[in-house]
């Protein structure tokens, strides 16, 4: 499919402008862009604008607005402003990534051919084996009757048992599957009473029919006739289906052709059946009733209409949903609300499978006994009750490996493999060529093999009697075979080729009954396949709504650019099928006092080059939470509704900051306002501000969401990007985390965390948990779960509510990970604490969770407990590793290295408890470097020890002491290191290779194999070296740091770096504080006179108006005010600003240089304390007043003169001081760039703390602005001039929504009367408790290992039993993860193949896709789709009409209100949808 761009070289933005001829729509208005101002893109070269061109574009727009177009028209494209060749190629590659590749169709055809050949082979082998056994039973029966020997009866009984087991094993296997998968699931309803009775009757008929067919019909007739008799079972069901299909299609296009083809098929069926009866009567007409009765029983039992009756669920009563069944009633509704033969309740099929397979198994036992012993000729009636018969029966169970046993084993395995191959073929959308064709070819292929004696002797060398000796009535055999083949091909074309199949359907949606049998397998597969006259696809996916919701704070320009590029790719992709998408970005601290802050301006400078829209085309709306900027993104076709792009700028004085509250805002906005009716096809795609993704990744996520309504969220494979050793560490950590941990959670139960960086959530699921997710923190434990790991807690709530979370490896995204050591430690401080807290919460409440979620099984909880324990004992485990490795490498005794490491850990704990954060991180960095060197020695020592063991071939055994067995970790992706053990090479028991060596090699092999089956991520293994070197830092130091810093409530990442932290405190001041601590008894305590305050950089803000600086004004009052534009920015003296009761503090403020509000703004609690405000309550009152003050801000620039600069800074009183130091001209200001606090005090003689702080900040801004800063400044001016509207006037309903939501949960908490201080104390107590748990658990672990390892009397295979037990436990965990990974990789392969097209250039086929879906060249199918589309459009029109209903008297949405955040003008300018 052609990529929707203008030319090959066009970028997204230029292509958009080209398509629209210079017209860009935004905010519901159509504005013309003047290409003459900056050169419109030519046909020969259409490239993305560079940063410089964006600046020129903005300048051009300003000139156009002012009426000065003459200068803009004479601008030319300069070479220095052109796009770099490399960037062009990267842009082309980005656009080409959506084009289908040759690899997908190749893999699809390879998979189709392989599965088709294997299925044909399995079906043929199963037929050959059962025919061979039937012939052997016939021969042994005749011999037993004629000779009447005990051995003859035993041989006949043995073959009978094999055939009976062939009938019995599939039913038992399917019974066990049904019990395991459905018995304890309350979300799967039991069938109705009528269905149960029908199902039991059908099961009895089937068991009797297959027993009669296998033990009487197969034994009696020749091989080729047996095959034809098997196909006679299909005659009546296929006739019924063909007739009904023809009746259904007679009024459609090509109806006469369909009726004619159906007539030919029916005639072929009848003719083939007549010829089979002729052959049967010609060969042997005795006991002909066996044939008719067996075919009649199987025909009645396998008619699809009767099978459909057996899976109808019972109707639930109003009071039937109690306790845990409340959640499941919702799930049951989503499964059964659709009509059509192809869609039934999945649970009913499995629950019916329990009853049906049990009855079939019992029936096989009963009927096979009757048919062989009672109705047979081997045993007479008087012999049945004799002991000799019983002894012969027991002896017959002693199977001998011979041809008969080979037939039996072959049939058991071939039928099982054939069934699952059929299932995979239907799931992967290759059912036409790999399911239908092999089934149709089985009959003629087998008949031909049996008719050609030479080939028959090759495939059945042990049953030559099956082969045809005479060719009497050969014509009838050939004609009957041809008739059946033609009839089957016709029915296959009608029922399978022309039916619609959804990729990755569930087994219960593919087959009426998820089971199989071992005799008539292909007949069962044809009739059990859910086809019906027509399977209507779920058309609701066409109306699905996806909201891309992003949280932003302080992302870099490159990070923002890759997000916007990803959104643009979605916009381009959705033009193919008019998918509904909206983008909403929630920007924390995006606006303050109606002025856009630095980082949103940075984002605005990128939207033209990435999205192809102009900034001045936005619709700017003032909202109760701050401001909203909206655009309509340009589309490739006027018939496609525009995708709206919204930026929500939050004012921290009006609503709460931080990611969780931003998530609550967009979740409630989508669920409670934008969506008129919540259904299962409304989704929220959550992203971070630095993530990059593709439409293919979104398709893969939405495909999993739409195929299973029980899935509440789906997460993707995240790839960290960046550079440096820390990034290398995280690349490997992310890899093994997804390879092992995510897959294990997905397979065993449910993924525990769908990261908000890139995941899809179902709106129905979010609606259920949002009421709890929006609660405030009241307890210390709540802080860990709610604010430290909001994504994990949200997923915990979803699991508690009964929803499943899945992991999709086919969906990929990349995000910037911390490359700075400090940011990495701060990030993991939050993650580790929240992970432990949420695991404890789930383990504590698992019984309650179990009531609503069957997936949280005891096995799953036991697995999580094991991982939690391994996380807690990770520090001591690392100590054991290093001790064992040092004993190998440098012969350092564990008695020395162990206590030394414990002392280091204790010292680091003390540092984390009693020193500043900067000291903690500096110590952690130093210890990380030291431990990395030690780990290098440990790795070398372990490698040398293993090599020595493997190289000692000349000795019968070598001495390995297990006295000091050291074990560690579990190899999972959680907070525990890989499992290894180190053994000292001293005297002990001898073994060829120690268990430790075997275990280490096993772990190494597991990781290599994991990388091999993830070929695109194989290079991640290289970064494993860095991971091993940093193992002590990640599992020892980081664990201690995380627990000790639980009271730290800061976010840690993307926070503004304080200027004072960069400058640092003077050395003499730090020395003075240390001496004060040491000599505390000799120092007279009094008021602090320390003027050296911590210097903090004020945020990028503008000055505020004097109206907002009045005493007593609060943030709550300001947040609710809808005032007009600000007045001139003024400063207020401190005497006027302070309230009456605090006037006494004005002297202190002036003494320290805080004489006006322009200096007071941005003061911290520590600065208030240092100037003499000792009362904590007073400080909190002042901080609340300071919070509403506009921060002082100046732009980056070099002033024209010194006096101008001092006036801007507000320090004109020091003009003479500057002149005395030779700073007279603007060029002299460069001297200040080297000034610090001491130089300012000494050279400029500025001693007031407030003035020093202001001057240091101004010096930081004293430089030429960068290009990005210039663009941001111009962008700010451009946005400020844009027309603004008030939300209360434009959309009263949305305004009321936001006011209600803010009052409910988003209103900022008061620092004076909040629980912050109390919460901090509780966090300290929680920290102490967790530290005690960590210390006790690690101490017990060390004592256990050291003590028990020394006991030499407990030995297994020469190794310590405790050590081997530990290895076994952790090895079991790793084995579980390894098996789960393999299962998940197979499902990922199936997922890929199911979506892959057969033709090159075709899009990936999914249940949800950006491309045109559910289309076919079949005219009849197009009739169905046109009818469905008409109904869908009517429903959409009705919903839109309801949404746009105007009722001014009731205060509803006005005539100009947006539909889903789009203006009415947009709808008027585009065709109706």
């Amino acid at each position: 499919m052609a990529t929707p761009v203008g030319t090959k070289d066009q970028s997204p933005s230029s292509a958009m402008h080209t398509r629209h001829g210079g017209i860009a729509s935004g905010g519901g208005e159509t504005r013309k862009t003047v290409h003459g101002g900056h050169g419109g893109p030519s046909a020969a070269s259409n490239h993305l604008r560079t940063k410089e061109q964006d600046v020129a574009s903005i300048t051009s727009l300003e000139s156009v607005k002012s009426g000065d177009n003459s200068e803009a028209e004479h601008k030319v494209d300069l070479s220095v402003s052109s796009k770099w060749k490399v960037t062009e190629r990267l842009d082309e590659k980005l656009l080409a990534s959506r084009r289908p590749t040759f690899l997908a169709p190749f893999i699809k055809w390879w998979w189709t051919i392989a599965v088709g050949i294997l299925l044909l082979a399995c079906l043929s082998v199963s037929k050959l084996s059962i025919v061979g056994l039937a012939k052997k039973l016939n021969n042994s029966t005749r011999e037993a009757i004629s000779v009447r020997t005990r051995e003859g009866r035993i041989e006949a009984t043995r073959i009978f048992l094999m055939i009976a087991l062939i009938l019995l094993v599939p039913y038992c296997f399917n019974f066990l599957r049904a019990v395991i998968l459905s018995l304890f699931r309350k979300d799967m309803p039991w069938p109705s009473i009528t269905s149960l009775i029908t199902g039991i009757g059908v099961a009895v008929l089937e068991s009797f029919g297959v027993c009669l067919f296998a033990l009487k019909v197969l034994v009696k007739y020749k091989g080729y006739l047996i095959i034809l008799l098997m196909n006679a079972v299909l005659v009546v069901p296929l006739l019924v289906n063909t007739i009904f299909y023809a009746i259904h299609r007679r009024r459609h296009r090509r109806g006469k052709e369909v009726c004619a083809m159906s007539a030919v098929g029916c005639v072929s069926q009848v003719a083939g059946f007549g010829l089979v009866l002729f052959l049967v009567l010609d060969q042997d007409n005795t006991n002909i009733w066996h044939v008719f009765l067996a075919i009649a029983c199987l025909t009645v039992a396998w008619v699809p209409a009767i099978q459909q009756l057996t899976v109808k669920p019972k109707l639930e009563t109003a009071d039937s949903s109690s306790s845990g069944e409340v959640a499941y009633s919702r799930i049951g509704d989503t499964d059964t609300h659709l009509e059509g033969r192809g869609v039934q309740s999945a649970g009913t099929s499995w629950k019916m499978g329990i009853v049906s397979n049990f009855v079939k198994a019992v029936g096989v036992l009963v009927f096979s006994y009757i048919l062989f012993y009672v109705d047979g000729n081997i045993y007479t009636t008087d012999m049945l009750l004799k002991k000799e018969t019983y002894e012969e029966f027991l002896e017959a169970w002693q199977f001998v490996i011979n041809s008969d046993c080979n037939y039996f084993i072959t049939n058991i395995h071939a039928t099982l493999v054939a069934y699952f191959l059929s299932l995979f073929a239907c799931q992967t959308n290759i059912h036409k060529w790999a399911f239908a064709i092999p089934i149709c070819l089985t009959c003629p292929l087998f008949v031909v093999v049996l008719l050609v004696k030479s080939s028959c002797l090759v495939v059945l060398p042990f049953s030559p009697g099956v082969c045809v000796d005479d060719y009497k009535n050969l014509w009838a055999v050939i004609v009957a075979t041809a008739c059946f083949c033609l009839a089957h091909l016709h029915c296959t074309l009608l029922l399978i080729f022309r039916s619609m199949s959804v990729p990755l359907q569930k087994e219960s949606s593919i087959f009426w009954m998820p089971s199989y049998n071992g005799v008539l397998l292909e007949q069962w597969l044809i009739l059990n396949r859910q086809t019906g006259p027509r399977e209507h696809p779920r058309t609701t996916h066409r109306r699905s709504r996806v909201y891309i919701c992003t949280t932003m704070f302080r992302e870099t320009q490159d990070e923002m650019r890759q997000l916007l590029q990803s959104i643009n790719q979605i916009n381009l992709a959705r033009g193919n099928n008019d998918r509904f998408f909206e983008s909403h970005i929630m920007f924390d601290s995006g606006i303050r006092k109606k002025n856009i802050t630095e980082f949103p301006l940075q984002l605005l400078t990128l939207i033209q080059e990435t999205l192809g829209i102009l900034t001045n085309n936005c619709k700017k709306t003032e909202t109760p939470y701050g401001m909203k900027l909206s655009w309509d993104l340009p589309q490739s076709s006027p018939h496609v509704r525009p995708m709206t792009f919204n930026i929500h700028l939050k004012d921290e004085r009006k609503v709460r900051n931080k990611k969780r509250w931003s998530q609550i805002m967009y979740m409630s906005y989508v669920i409670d306002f934008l969506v008129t009716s919540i259904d299962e096809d409304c989704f929220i795609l959550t992203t971070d501000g630095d993530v990059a993704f593709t439409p293919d990744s979104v398709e893969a996520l939405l495909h999993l969401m739409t195929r299973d309504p029980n899935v509440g969220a789906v997460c993707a494979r995240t790839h960290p990007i960046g550079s440096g050793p820390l990034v290398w560490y995280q690349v490997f950590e992310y890899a093994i985390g997804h390879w092992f941990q995510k897959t294990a959670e997905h397979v065993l139960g449910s993924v525990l965390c769908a990261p908000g960086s890139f995941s899809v959530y179902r709106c129905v699921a979010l609606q259920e948990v949002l009421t709890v997710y929006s609660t405030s923190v009241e307890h210390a434990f709540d802080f860990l779960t709610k604010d430290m790991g909001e994504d994990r807690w949200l997923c915990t709530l979803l699991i508690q509510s009964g929803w499943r979370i899945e992991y999709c490896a086919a969906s990929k995204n990349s995000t910037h990970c911390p490359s700075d050591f400090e940011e990495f430690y701060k990030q993991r401080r939050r993650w580790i604490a929240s992970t432990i807290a949420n695991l404890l919460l789930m383990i504590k409440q698992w019984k309650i969770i179990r009531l609503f979620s069957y997936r949280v099984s005891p096995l799953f909880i036991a697995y999580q407990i094991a991982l939690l324990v391994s996380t807690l004992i990770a520090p001591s485990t690392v100590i054991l590793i290093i001790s064992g490795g040092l004993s190998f490498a440098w012969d350092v005794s564990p008695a020395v290295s162990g206590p030394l490491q414990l002392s280091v850990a204790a010292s680091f704990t003390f540092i984390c408890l009693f020193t500043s954060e900067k000291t903690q991180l500096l110590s952690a960095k130093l210890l990380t470097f030291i431990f990395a060197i030690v780990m290098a020695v440990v790795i070398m020592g372990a490698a040398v020890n293993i090599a020595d063991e493997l190289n000692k071939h000349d000795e019968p055994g070598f001495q390995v002491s297990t006295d000091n067995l050291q074990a560690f970790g579990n190899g999972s992706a959680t907070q525990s290191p890989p499992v290894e053990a180190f053994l000292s090479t001293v005297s002990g028991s001898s073994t060829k290779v120690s268990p430790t060596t075997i275990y280490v090699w096993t772990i190494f092999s597991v990781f290599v194999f994991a990388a091999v089956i993830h070929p695109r991520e194989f290079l991640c293994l290289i970064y494993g070296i860095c991971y091993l070197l940093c193992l002590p830092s990640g599992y020892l130091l980081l664990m201690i740091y995380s627990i000790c810093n639980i009271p730290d409530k800061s976010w840690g990442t993307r926070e503004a770096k304080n200027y004072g932290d960069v400058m640092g405190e003077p050395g003499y001041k730090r020395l003075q504080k240390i001496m004060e601590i040491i000599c505390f008894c000799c120092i007279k305590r009094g008021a602090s006179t320390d003027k050296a305050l911590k210097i903090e950089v004020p945020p990028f803000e503008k000055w505020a108006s004097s109206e907002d600086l009045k005493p007593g004004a609060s943030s709550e009052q300001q947040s609710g005010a809808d005032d007009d534009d600000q007045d001139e920015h003024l400063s207020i003296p401190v005497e006027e600003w302070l309230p009456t009761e605090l006037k006494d503090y004005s002297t202190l403020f002036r003494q320290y240089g805080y004489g006006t509000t322009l200096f007071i703004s941005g003061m911290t609690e520590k600065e208030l304390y240092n100037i003499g405000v000792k009362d904590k309550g007073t400080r909190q009152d002042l901080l609340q007043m300071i919070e509403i003050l506009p921060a002082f801000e100046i732009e980056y620039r070099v002033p024209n003169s010194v006096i101008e600069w001092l006036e801007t800074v507000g320090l004109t009183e020091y003009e003479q001081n500057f002149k005395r130091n030779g700073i007279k001209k603007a060029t002299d200001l460069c001297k200040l760039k080297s000034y610090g606090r001491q130089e300012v005090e000494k050279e400029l003689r500025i001693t007031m703390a407030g003035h020093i702080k202001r001057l240091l900040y101004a010096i930081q801004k004293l430089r030429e602005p960068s290009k990005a800063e210039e663009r941001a400044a111009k962008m700010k001016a451009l946005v400020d001039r844009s027309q603004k509207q008030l939300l209360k006037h434009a959309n009263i309903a949305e305004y009321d929504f936001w006011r209600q939501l803010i009052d409910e949960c988003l209103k900022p908490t008061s620092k004076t009367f909040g629980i912050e201080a109390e919460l901090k104390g509780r966090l300290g107590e929680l920290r102490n408790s967790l530290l005690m748990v960590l210390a006790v658990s690690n101490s017990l672990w060390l004592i256990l290992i050291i003590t028990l390892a020394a006991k030499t009397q407990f030995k297994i295979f020469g190794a310590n039993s405790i050590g081997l037990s530990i290895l076994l436990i952790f090895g079991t965990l790793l084995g579980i993860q390894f098996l789960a990974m393999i299962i998940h990789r197979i499902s990922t392969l199936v997922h890929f193949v199911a979506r892959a097209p057969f033709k090159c250039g075709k899009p990936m086929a999914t249940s949800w896709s950006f491309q045109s879906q559910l289309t076919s060249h079949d005219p009849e199918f197009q009739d169905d789709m046109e009818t469905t589309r008409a109904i869908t459009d009517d429903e959409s029109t009705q919903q839109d009409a309801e949404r746009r209903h105007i009722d001014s008297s009731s205060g509803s949405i006005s005539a100009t209100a947006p539909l889903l955040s789009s203006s009415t003008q947009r709808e008027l300018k585009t065709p109706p949808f």
Side-chain angles (χ1 to χ4, degrees), residues 14 49 76 82 110 304 319 372 475 524 571 700 749 793 832 876 953 1057 1190 1286 1322 1355 1367:
S14 61
R49 292 177 175 82
V76 296
S82 61
W110 180 87
D319 57 347
F372 182 76
W475 65 271
W524 166 259
N571 183 45
W793 186 50
I832 292 175
S876 58
H953 298 297
K1057 292 186 177 181
L1286 298 178
R1322 293 176 182 175
K1355 300 287 184 178
L1367 292 180

Side-chain angles (χ1 to χ4, degrees), residues 1314-1327:
I1315 63 171
E1316 301 296 323
E1318 182 181 356
L1319 181 61
K1320 188 173 183 179
R1322 293 176 182 175
L1323 286 173
E1325 295 176 359
L1326 179 61
R1327 184 264 317 275

Side-chain angles (χ1 to χ4, degrees), residues 1061-1077:
D1061 295 339
V1062 177
M1063 296 299 298
E1065 192 177 21
Y1068 69 91
K1069 290 294 184 182
R1070 293 198 299 268
L1071 180 61
Q1072 177 184 347
K1073 291 183 179 181
I1074 295 175
M1075 295 304 297
E1076 288 178 358
I1077 295 175

Side-chain angles (χ1 to χ4, degrees), residues 555-693:
E555 282 74 15
T556 65
Q557 191 177 60
D558 291 336
E559 293 170 349
M560 292 178 177
R561 181 180 286 107
Q562 73 176 14
L563 172 71
L564 294 178
Q565 289 174 344
S566 301
I567 294 175
N568 186 69
Q569 290 186 67
I570 298 296
N571 183 45
L572 292 174
R574 62 177 292 273
N576 299 323
N577 202 17
D578 193 23
R579 291 292 189 179
F580 182 91
F581 273 82
E582 277 190 8
S583 177
H584 296 269
I585 297 179
M586 296 291 175
F587 223 119
D588 271 329
S589 301
I591 192 171
R592 184 178 176 88
K593 294 302 294 177
K594 304 178 185 178
N595 287 277
I596 302 177
T597 55
E598 175 184 3
F599 288 93
L601 289 175
Q602 178 179 274
L603 177 67
L604 291 175
T605 61
L606 301 173
I607 61 175
Q608 183 176 359
E609 68 173 90
T610 55
L611 299 178
I613 55 178
L614 298 180
T615 308
N616 62 333
N617 279 359
C618 74
K619 183 175 69 175
K620 185 169 66 172
T621 307
E622 186 176 331
T623 63
Y625 59 82
M627 183 180 293
K628 180 175 74 171
L629 306 176
S630 301
W631 292 265
D632 281 348
L633 300 184
Q635 298 300 319
S636 58
S637 171
H639 301 287
V640 178
R641 77 186 100 188
M643 172 181 173
T644 59
F645 176 71
N646 307 274
I647 302 177
H648 303 263
L649 304 176
K650 294 170 55 179
D651 191 337
E652 60 183 1
R653 301 174 305 110
K654 298 180 179 181
V655 292
R656 297 189 183 188
N657 256 359
K658 289 195 175 180
K659 182 178 179 180
R660 181 163 73 98
W661 301 109
S662 295
Q663 290 178 328
I664 292 170
M665 286 180 65
Y666 66 63
M667 288 177 186
S668 182
Y669 185 49
V670 171
I671 295 172
D672 299 326
F673 181 76
L674 294 183
V675 181
T676 54
S677 60
I678 297 293
D679 57 30
E680 63 183 28
D681 292 304
C682 179
F683 310 102
I684 293 180
L685 172 62
T686 64
T687 72
D688 281 348
D690 61 345
V691 70
F693 54 91

